[in-house]
Amino acid sequence: MDQIYSLHTDRNIEPWEFGQLAALNLWGDAGDFTGERLAGHFAAVDFAAHVRTSQHLLVGYASAISNGLGTVFIDSLICHPEYDREAIGGLLLRAVLTHFSGQPVYAMPFVDEQQVFRANGFRVYRREMVALAHRNDEPSGLGGIAAPEAVIHS
């Protein structure tokens, strides 16, 4: 594609357009990404960047979290599938690396998405790390664990 892209490091993304991008990447249904959820995400991350076409179509997004001690974790990297080979992922990764210059940056991409990370200098750390996950699908409460205010002392 002969396209001109622009990189933005603001958070001017509408929930519906993020939802469309996420749905195209099988992150969930477009409607799952409400304004409230996107605002919560933006409040939780330390850096966000996105890429748009000259027609203002959102085609890529990345976010990163810093622990404040010099370690950065790439929270999200997502690209529009139709623009997959347009170097958008690399552009977003370089934006993260530039923003957190001099700090170690970690990522845990899916196996089939490692190529863009490796092409941008990411390598297996001294010891290979394993991503462990726990889907927290409990809608509310602590899943049978008593909340501190509910504990009765006798």
Side-chain angles (χ1 to χ4, degrees):
M1 291 183 177
D2 247 356
Q3 182 69 252
I4 297 173
Y5 301 102
S6 57
L7 173 71
H8 305 266
T9 56
D10 56 44
R11 296 164 191 233
N12 294 329
I13 299 173
E14 295 296 326
W16 64 267
E17 63 182 345
F18 187 86
Q20 286 180 341
L21 183 63
L24 286 169
N25 283 274
L26 306 176
W27 281 20
D29 295 326
D32 292 342
F33 299 90
T34 63
E36 183 179 357
R37 285 188 68 193
L38 193 56
H41 167 74
F42 285 150
V45 299
D46 298 296
F47 177 78
H50 62 281
V51 174
R52 294 184 179 277
T53 66
S54 56
Q55 294 80 34
H56 305 290
L57 175 67
L58 179 67
V59 293
Y61 174 79
S63 61
I65 300 168
S66 172
N67 69 1
L69 297 173
T71 299
V72 178
F73 182 78
I74 294 179
D75 174 65
S76 303
L77 179 67
I78 185 169
C79 298
H80 193 295
E82 290 180 28
Y83 298 82
D84 194 29
R85 298 286 178 216
E86 296 291 311
I88 292 166
L91 181 63
L92 289 163
L93 285 176
R94 286 188 299 281
V96 171
L97 295 171
T98 299
H99 183 79
F100 294 103
S101 180
Q103 299 178 51
V105 178
Y106 298 90
M108 286 193 212
F110 291 107
V111 173
D112 61 333
E113 296 174 347
Q114 288 184 37
Q115 183 178 2
V116 68
F117 288 90
R118 291 181 183 271
N120 285 278
F122 283 75
R123 301 287 177 258
V124 174
Y125 194 61
R126 292 181 193 123
R127 294 181 303 159
E128 189 169 348
M129 291 185 236
V130 176
L132 301 175
H134 179 279
R135 286 232 11 134
N136 190 8
D137 291 332
E138 292 275 332
S140 62
L142 298 173
I145 300 173
E149 61 273 5
V151 176
I152 300 172
H153 298 279
S154 52

